[in-house]
Amino acid sequence: MFSKWLSIKRWNNFPRVEDITPLDNAWFVIHISLFMAYLEEKKWKKVDKEYLIKKIIFELFKALVLSDINSWTRDYILKTNPEIMEKLEEKVLDYFWEMWDCEFLKRDLKEILNDKSDRLENKIIESAKKFAGHQECVINARVFLYAYDVALEEINNYLDKNKVESLNKILKNDDYKNYLSHIRRLSHAMRWSWKQRKYGVSVMSHLVIVTFISYILWNLENEKWWDFDVLEMMLKSVYHDIPEAITWDIITPIKNSVEGFRDTLEEVEKKMMDDYFFVYVDKQYKEEIWNYMLDPFSNKTWKLAKNADIISALLEARIERDSNNLEFTQIYREIKTLVNSHNTYSSDFFLKDVLLSFGDNLEDLKIEKIGQ
């Protein structure tokens, strides 16, 4: 499924100047939602950030199976026959519940995806999706306006009628929009850029996978009575590579090649973050996310969050190796050895259970069952 997420492109039947994967879009929606949550909480409203992150990621599974139905077609189906779309999505979820032998994941999927109430978190997610879609439309419409004029008109109509206070603040504040635009650069910052790749993985996509793996690791360790804060872990995973939108992904051998260079780079990152990101937001928000961005592995939750980061790299190397990319054969072995050294129940689970079925694709898993 990982390679499927990387292969699917949004606006696939539109001419476009940029390729955005569902993973890229999901991470941007997560970040917009968390920023909106901060703005809502400044007005003394309580927002469940854990729910926000989980629901946005879980909805990726529905989108994966129904990738042939783009968002605009889906909107028209909902206007024409909302009941039939609901039945189709229920069929997809039934398929995943049957396929997965993971009770905590099935429980959370069912509970969160079936929550279609008008709670603030659902309104935030819907608004964040529209804002993210608007950003994609605007960029592509600069060259192909004829193809995006209807989509832009519909999104603009939604944004004009929007009643979520935090989104209205973003739309009226150029600094907030500039901040989010700079954050969005992560969709163009590619990992393993010094290697030939069959499946390009942006930093944005990587952060979504790391966040989902963090959630899995937390649940596995929680079964063994480890005391970790799942939201803290997921926030570290969501934010930790954001400086790379500015500094790019400087590889470890370069960081360690000259004594003192790594420390200098860390100081440069802090200055560049102030100049490019934090100049657009207030001091309170900077203080809230600073450590997640620039010191993410500093307290008791660092170990599992870092493990998730390494496991994501392992899966990225695996899909390249399985695609006969010989450059990644040794890389895969080295990362697998590193994961094996974690000596945790959750990392062992990934090595012994997840990797065994990692090569399975949706066709192998009998996706035609959905049509039965």
XYZ file of all heavy atoms in Angstrom, residues 11-76:
577
model
N -5.209 15.340 -8.725
C -5.514 16.043 -9.971
C -4.961 15.265 -11.172
O -4.458 15.854 -12.139
C -4.928 17.465 -9.958
C -5.299 18.258 -8.753
C -4.533 18.407 -7.619
C -6.508 18.990 -8.524
N -5.188 19.190 -6.701
C -6.398 19.572 -7.225
C -7.646 19.226 -9.283
C -7.402 20.355 -6.687
C -8.651 20.015 -8.734
C -8.522 20.563 -7.458
N -5.056 13.942 -11.088
C -4.376 13.096 -12.071
C -4.952 13.238 -13.474
O -4.261 12.967 -14.458
C -4.442 11.627 -11.626
C -3.446 10.770 -12.366
O -2.300 11.169 -12.556
N -3.861 9.596 -12.813
N -6.213 13.645 -13.590
C -6.802 13.834 -14.922
C -6.832 15.308 -15.322
O -7.577 15.714 -16.201
C -8.211 13.237 -14.984
C -9.151 13.871 -13.977
O -8.714 14.351 -12.937
N -10.443 13.862 -14.280
N -5.997 16.115 -14.625
C -5.855 17.527 -14.943
C -4.427 17.793 -15.415
O -3.485 17.180 -14.908
C -6.080 18.398 -13.695
C -7.512 18.571 -13.273
C -8.232 17.500 -12.755
C -8.143 19.799 -13.359
C -9.550 17.649 -12.333
C -9.452 19.961 -12.947
C -10.161 18.887 -12.434
N -4.217 18.722 -16.355
C -2.846 19.177 -16.596
C -2.359 19.904 -15.357
O -3.144 20.582 -14.679
C -3.000 20.135 -17.787
C -4.414 20.614 -17.714
C -5.207 19.457 -17.158
N -1.106 19.761 -15.011
C -0.636 20.346 -13.756
C 0.860 20.653 -13.833
O 1.586 20.054 -14.617
C -0.930 19.415 -12.570
C -0.341 18.032 -12.725
C -0.938 17.053 -11.697
N -0.281 15.756 -11.768
C -0.596 14.810 -12.656
N -1.562 15.021 -13.524
N 0.057 13.661 -12.667
N 1.279 21.553 -12.977
C 2.691 21.942 -12.936
C 3.411 21.331 -11.743
O 4.622 21.459 -11.614
C 2.846 23.477 -12.906
C 2.305 24.093 -14.176
C 2.158 24.077 -11.678
N 2.685 20.691 -10.840
C 3.305 20.009 -9.714
C 2.569 18.710 -9.447
O 1.369 18.602 -9.687
C 3.313 20.888 -8.454
C 1.931 21.227 -7.917
C 1.972 21.980 -6.597
O 3.068 22.339 -6.130
O 0.891 22.194 -6.028
N 3.311 17.714 -8.965
C 2.725 16.429 -8.595
C 2.622 16.349 -7.075
O 3.633 16.416 -6.370
C 3.590 15.268 -9.102
C 3.412 15.036 -10.593
O 2.323 15.345 -11.104
O 4.365 14.552 -11.231
N 1.407 16.219 -6.579
C 1.148 16.111 -5.147
C 0.514 14.759 -4.877
O -0.492 14.400 -5.493
C 0.200 17.231 -4.662
C 0.813 18.610 -4.916
C -0.141 17.056 -3.186
C 2.079 18.883 -4.131
N 1.101 13.982 -3.990
C 0.543 12.681 -3.649
C -0.504 12.841 -2.546
O -0.549 13.869 -1.858
C 1.634 11.722 -3.158
O 2.120 12.171 -1.875
C 2.796 11.634 -4.147
N -1.347 11.827 -2.348
C -2.282 11.874 -1.209
C -1.571 12.025 0.126
O -2.102 12.656 1.045
C -3.000 10.520 -1.308
C -2.918 10.140 -2.749
C -1.583 10.647 -3.216
N -0.355 11.474 0.249
C 0.409 11.622 1.486
C 0.831 13.068 1.695
O 0.756 13.595 2.812
C 1.636 10.711 1.465
C 1.383 9.208 1.540
C 2.688 8.434 1.313
C 0.773 8.812 2.878
N 1.296 13.720 0.625
C 1.662 15.138 0.722
C 0.466 15.956 1.192
O 0.564 16.779 2.107
C 2.115 15.680 -0.638
C 3.411 15.073 -1.137
O 4.250 14.702 -0.301
O 3.575 14.979 -2.364
N -0.655 15.726 0.541
C -1.858 16.475 0.872
C -2.290 16.219 2.308
O -2.668 17.157 3.031
C -2.976 16.096 -0.100
C -4.310 16.708 0.261
O -5.136 16.084 0.935
N -4.545 17.935 -0.174
N -2.217 14.962 2.750
C -2.650 14.617 4.103
C -1.806 15.336 5.146
O -2.334 15.842 6.145
C -2.582 13.108 4.316
N -0.474 15.387 4.929
C 0.367 16.053 5.927
C 0.061 17.545 5.967
O -0.005 18.137 7.054
C 1.854 15.851 5.643
C 2.695 16.462 6.732
C 3.085 15.872 7.898
C 3.180 17.807 6.780
N 3.798 16.767 8.668
C 3.869 17.972 8.005
C 3.114 18.892 5.914
C 4.491 19.161 8.377
C 3.714 20.092 6.283
C 4.397 20.213 7.506
N -0.134 18.162 4.796
C -0.438 19.591 4.784
C -1.765 19.853 5.485
O -1.901 20.823 6.239
C -0.461 20.107 3.348
C -0.486 21.611 3.235
C 0.322 22.400 4.028
C -1.321 22.243 2.314
C 0.311 23.792 3.932
C -1.343 23.628 2.201
C -0.528 24.401 3.008
N -2.740 18.969 5.270
C -4.028 19.104 5.956
C -3.840 18.954 7.470
O -4.457 19.684 8.249
C -5.044 18.072 5.421
C -6.316 18.051 6.271
C -5.400 18.375 3.968
N -2.996 18.023 7.894
C -2.709 17.864 9.322
C -2.126 19.147 9.880
O -2.542 19.641 10.947
C -1.743 16.688 9.569
C -2.441 15.354 9.314
C -1.203 16.718 11.003
C -1.500 14.152 9.351
N -1.147 19.716 9.174
C -0.492 20.916 9.693
C -1.456 22.097 9.742
O -1.473 22.851 10.733
C 0.730 21.272 8.835
C 1.630 22.254 9.512
N 2.642 21.879 10.368
C 1.637 23.614 9.511
C 3.250 22.954 10.838
N 2.651 24.018 10.336
N -2.254 22.271 8.702
C -3.256 23.344 8.719
C -4.217 23.136 9.888
O -4.558 24.079 10.612
C -4.037 23.376 7.393
C -3.113 23.674 6.213
C -5.156 24.428 7.454
C -3.750 23.384 4.857
N -4.659 21.892 10.080
C -5.614 21.582 11.154
C -5.029 21.887 12.526
O -5.725 22.435 13.400
C -6.034 20.110 11.081
O -6.717 19.836 9.882
N -3.764 21.537 12.732
C -3.119 21.802 14.021
C -2.940 23.308 14.242
O -3.067 23.797 15.373
C -1.771 21.086 14.102
C -1.843 19.560 14.178
C -0.443 18.953 14.107
C -2.539 19.103 15.466
N -2.644 24.027 13.177
C -2.530 25.483 13.291
C -3.896 26.093 13.595
O -4.019 26.989 14.440
C -1.947 26.063 12.001
C -1.655 27.539 12.076
C -0.902 28.062 13.124
C -2.115 28.413 11.092
C -0.624 29.429 13.199
C -1.837 29.765 11.155
C -1.085 30.280 12.206
N -4.942 25.583 12.948
C -6.296 26.047 13.247
C -6.671 25.710 14.688
O -7.328 26.508 15.368
C -7.290 25.415 12.273
C -7.167 25.925 10.839
S -8.252 25.043 9.665
C -9.875 25.505 10.283
N -6.262 24.516 15.158
C -6.549 24.129 16.542
C -5.918 25.122 17.513
O -6.529 25.501 18.526
C -6.026 22.720 16.805
N -4.693 25.536 17.218
C -4.024 26.536 18.064
C -4.830 27.828 18.101
O -5.046 28.411 19.180
C -2.617 26.798 17.534
C -1.993 28.066 18.065
C -1.494 28.125 19.367
C -1.940 29.216 17.275
C -0.944 29.297 19.860
C -1.394 30.393 17.758
C -0.900 30.437 19.054
O -0.352 31.603 19.551
N -5.293 28.281 16.937
C -6.062 29.522 16.883
C -7.389 29.387 17.621
O -7.844 30.332 18.281
C -6.311 29.917 15.418
C -5.064 30.265 14.592
C -5.448 30.516 13.129
C -4.341 31.477 15.159
N -8.018 28.219 17.522
C -9.280 27.982 18.238
C -9.054 27.976 19.743
O -9.846 28.521 20.519
C -9.908 26.661 17.795
C -10.362 26.604 16.350
C -11.586 27.448 16.064
O -12.266 27.869 17.029
O -11.873 27.696 14.873
N -7.960 27.355 20.168
C -7.685 27.257 21.604
C -7.326 28.609 22.208
O -7.488 28.808 23.414
C -6.586 26.221 21.854
C -7.080 24.786 21.617
C -6.014 23.730 21.817
O -4.806 24.082 21.745
O -6.378 22.564 22.051
N -6.840 29.520 21.385
C -6.598 30.884 21.884
C -7.901 31.551 22.286
O -7.903 32.492 23.089
C -5.896 31.722 20.807
C -4.411 31.410 20.646
C -3.750 32.372 19.672
C -3.680 33.777 20.220
N -2.953 34.709 19.320
N -9.001 31.054 21.723
C -10.330 31.568 22.065
C -11.018 30.667 23.096
O -12.238 30.653 23.204
C -11.193 31.663 20.799
C -10.696 32.698 19.798
C -10.764 34.109 20.363
C -10.359 35.151 19.337
N -10.429 36.525 19.899
N -10.220 29.900 23.804
C -10.678 29.054 24.904
C -11.565 27.905 24.452
O -12.388 27.398 25.210
C -11.397 29.885 25.974
C -10.587 31.052 26.424
C -10.770 32.351 26.105
C -9.430 31.007 27.261
N -9.800 33.140 26.692
C -8.971 32.342 27.410
C -8.740 29.981 27.923
C -7.855 32.664 28.177
C -7.618 30.310 28.678
C -7.188 31.632 28.807
N -11.411 27.473 23.206
C -12.117 26.288 22.732
C -11.189 25.086 22.837
O -10.000 25.188 22.558
C -12.572 26.475 21.280
C -13.564 27.605 21.091
C -13.914 27.772 19.613
C -14.846 28.962 19.395
N -15.135 29.172 17.961
N -11.731 23.964 23.232
C -10.945 22.745 23.366
C -10.981 21.968 22.059
O -12.047 21.719 21.499
C -11.502 21.877 24.505
C -10.712 20.600 24.743
C -9.274 20.877 25.167
C -8.528 19.576 25.430
N -7.093 19.811 25.707
N -9.789 21.581 21.566
C -9.686 20.822 20.323
C -8.908 19.543 20.593
O -7.824 19.575 21.185
C -8.984 21.634 19.211
C -8.926 20.820 17.917
C -9.691 22.962 18.975
N -9.449 18.416 20.153
C -8.799 17.117 20.319
C -7.812 16.910 19.164
O -8.182 16.458 18.079
C -9.864 16.011 20.329
C -9.290 14.642 20.662
O -8.061 14.462 20.555
O -10.075 13.742 21.012
N -6.550 17.228 19.404
C -5.535 17.148 18.348
C -5.237 15.707 17.953
O -4.938 15.420 16.795
C -4.257 17.851 18.807
C -4.429 19.339 19.028
C -3.145 19.968 19.546
C -3.346 21.460 19.824
N -2.124 22.073 20.388
N -5.330 14.815 18.905
C -5.109 13.400 18.588
C -6.157 12.918 17.584
O -5.841 12.200 16.626
C -5.164 12.563 19.861
C -4.908 11.089 19.643
C -4.957 10.299 20.946
O -4.696 10.870 22.019
O -5.291 9.096 20.886
N -7.401 13.314 17.792
C -8.476 12.963 16.862
C -8.191 13.533 15.476
O -8.372 12.850 14.454
C -9.802 13.495 17.400
C -10.999 13.249 16.512
C -11.796 12.130 16.661
C -11.339 14.169 15.509
C -12.910 11.916 15.850
C -12.440 13.966 14.691
C -13.225 12.833 14.873
O -14.315 12.624 14.060
N -7.754 14.791 15.410
C -7.455 15.428 14.128
C -6.450 14.605 13.332
O -6.671 14.287 12.156
C -6.886 16.831 14.347
C -7.803 17.932 14.864
C -7.001 19.210 15.082
C -8.957 18.192 13.917
N -5.328 14.265 13.975
C -4.255 13.560 13.277
C -4.717 12.175 12.832
O -4.515 11.770 11.683
C -3.008 13.454 14.172
C -2.461 14.850 14.494
C -1.921 12.615 13.496
C -1.365 14.859 15.544
N -5.346 11.450 13.746
C -5.786 10.095 13.407
C -6.788 10.096 12.268
O -6.686 9.293 11.328
C -6.401 9.426 14.643
C -5.397 8.990 15.706
C -6.124 8.314 16.857
C -5.177 7.823 17.921
N -5.900 7.189 19.057
N -7.770 10.989 12.325
C -8.824 10.936 11.309
C -8.268 11.262 9.931
O -8.627 10.616 8.940
C -9.961 11.895 11.660
C -11.130 11.792 10.666
C -12.441 12.215 11.266
C -13.612 11.805 10.392
N -14.914 12.098 11.007
N -7.392 12.243 9.839
C -6.829 12.615 8.539
C -6.026 11.454 7.958
O -6.100 11.167 6.757
C -5.968 13.887 8.671
C -6.855 15.077 9.038
C -5.217 14.166 7.366
C -6.100 16.288 9.537
N -5.268 10.764 8.803
C -4.481 9.620 8.322
C -5.389 8.447 7.979
O -5.221 7.800 6.941
C -3.419 9.209 9.367
C -2.361 10.309 9.485
C -2.760 7.881 8.980
C -1.304 10.039 10.523
N -6.365 8.153 8.820
C -7.260 7.021 8.561
C -8.033 7.210 7.257
O -8.326 6.239 6.550
C -8.237 6.838 9.717
C -7.601 6.325 10.984
C -8.298 6.356 12.185
C -6.319 5.813 10.992
C -7.722 5.877 13.353
C -5.726 5.342 12.151
C -6.432 5.372 13.343
N -8.398 8.446 6.956
C -9.148 8.689 5.721
C -8.319 8.387 4.478
O -8.868 8.201 3.392
C -9.656 10.131 5.691
C -10.831 10.352 6.648
C -11.368 11.771 6.613
O -10.631 12.682 6.186
O -12.532 11.963 7.031
N -6.994 8.313 4.642
C -6.134 7.932 3.523
C -6.449 6.521 3.032
O -6.314 6.228 1.843
C -4.658 7.998 3.936
C -3.976 9.368 3.888
C -2.628 9.289 4.571
C -3.826 9.850 2.455
N -6.839 5.641 3.943
C -7.113 4.261 3.551
C -8.339 4.189 2.636
O -8.360 3.443 1.655
C -7.301 3.376 4.784
C -6.038 3.189 5.576
C -5.808 3.897 6.742
C -5.058 2.306 5.132
C -4.638 3.729 7.456
C -3.887 2.132 5.840
C -3.672 2.844 7.006
N -9.357 4.966 2.957
C -10.520 5.018 2.066
C -10.123 5.586 0.707
O -10.509 5.069 -0.339
C -11.621 5.885 2.684
C -12.357 5.266 3.845
C -13.634 6.029 4.157
C -13.402 7.475 4.489
N -14.644 8.184 4.883
N -9.334 6.656 0.740
C -8.937 7.308 -0.504
C -8.082 6.390 -1.361
O -8.127 6.452 -2.598
C -8.173 8.597 -0.192
N -7.307 5.518 -0.710
C -6.433 4.604 -1.452
C -7.250 3.647 -2.309
O -6.991 3.474 -3.501
C -5.560 3.822 -0.476
C -4.627 2.775 -1.089
C -3.553 3.446 -1.922
C -3.979 1.925 0.009
N -8.249 3.034 -1.719
C -9.073 2.064 -2.443
C -9.955 2.769 -3.471
O -10.172 2.257 -4.575
C -9.933 1.252 -1.459
C -10.842 0.299 -2.221
C -9.048 0.485 -0.493
N -10.432 3.962 -3.125
C -11.342 4.687 -4.012
C -10.607 5.763 -4.807
O -11.185 6.801 -5.158
C -12.462 5.332 -3.184
C -13.320 4.360 -2.372
C -14.342 5.126 -1.531
C -14.019 3.363 -3.287
N -9.326 5.506 -5.105
C -8.517 6.523 -5.770
C -9.016 6.845 -7.178
O -8.702 7.905 -7.730
C -7.058 6.078 -5.836
O -6.924 4.851 -6.545
N -9.780 5.944 -7.783
C -10.335 6.221 -9.118
C -11.434 7.290 -9.074
O -11.785 7.856 -10.102
C -10.917 4.943 -9.729
C -9.831 3.963 -10.150
O -8.668 4.390 -10.250
O -10.148 2.784 -10.366
N -11.953 7.548 -7.866
C -12.992 8.569 -7.713
C -12.326 9.828 -7.164
O -12.015 9.900 -5.972
C -14.110 8.102 -6.759
C -14.694 6.773 -7.223
C -15.193 9.158 -6.649
C -15.730 6.191 -6.271
N -12.076 10.801 -8.023
C -11.406 12.007 -7.529
C -12.368 12.840 -6.681
O -13.573 12.589 -6.635
C -10.808 12.834 -8.679
C -11.861 13.367 -9.641
O -12.926 13.803 -9.237
N -11.546 13.324 -10.934
N -11.820 13.826 -6.000
C -12.617 14.568 -5.013
C -13.794 15.298 -5.641
O -14.863 15.418 -5.028
C -11.722 15.563 -4.265
O -11.127 16.472 -5.164
N -13.622 15.767 -6.882
C -14.727 16.497 -7.510
C -15.845 15.555 -7.932
O -17.024 15.881 -7.780
C -14.189 17.286 -8.712
C -13.086 18.195 -8.272
C -11.763 18.119 -8.585
C -13.205 19.274 -7.343
N -11.052 19.088 -7.933
C -11.913 19.815 -7.166
C -14.270 19.850 -6.652
C -11.660 20.898 -6.321
C -14.013 20.925 -5.803
C -12.735 21.430 -5.659
N -15.474 14.393 -8.452
C -16.490 13.398 -8.781
C -17.221 12.964 -7.514
O -18.453 12.801 -7.510
C -15.845 12.176 -9.465
O -15.148 12.610 -10.636
C -16.902 11.148 -9.860
N -16.446 12.789 -6.431
C -17.052 12.405 -5.150
C -18.067 13.458 -4.698
O -19.160 13.114 -4.228
C -15.976 12.223 -4.096
C -16.505 11.793 -2.733
C -15.367 11.645 -1.718
N -15.867 11.175 -0.433
C -16.378 11.969 0.500
N -16.470 13.275 0.284
N -16.820 11.469 1.639
N -17.721 14.743 -4.846
C -18.639 15.813 -4.441
C -19.937 15.752 -5.248
O -21.031 15.942 -4.706
C -17.972 17.182 -4.625
C -16.914 17.452 -3.560
O -16.887 16.709 -2.557
O -16.118 18.386 -3.748
N -19.812 15.463 -6.543
C -21.012 15.372 -7.381
C -21.860 14.160 -6.989
O -23.101 14.223 -6.994
C -20.623 15.291 -8.859
C -20.461 16.648 -9.514
C -19.263 17.325 -9.464
C -21.533 17.246 -10.178
C -19.110 18.574 -10.051
C -21.403 18.494 -10.775
C -20.182 19.159 -10.701
O -20.046 20.396 -11.282
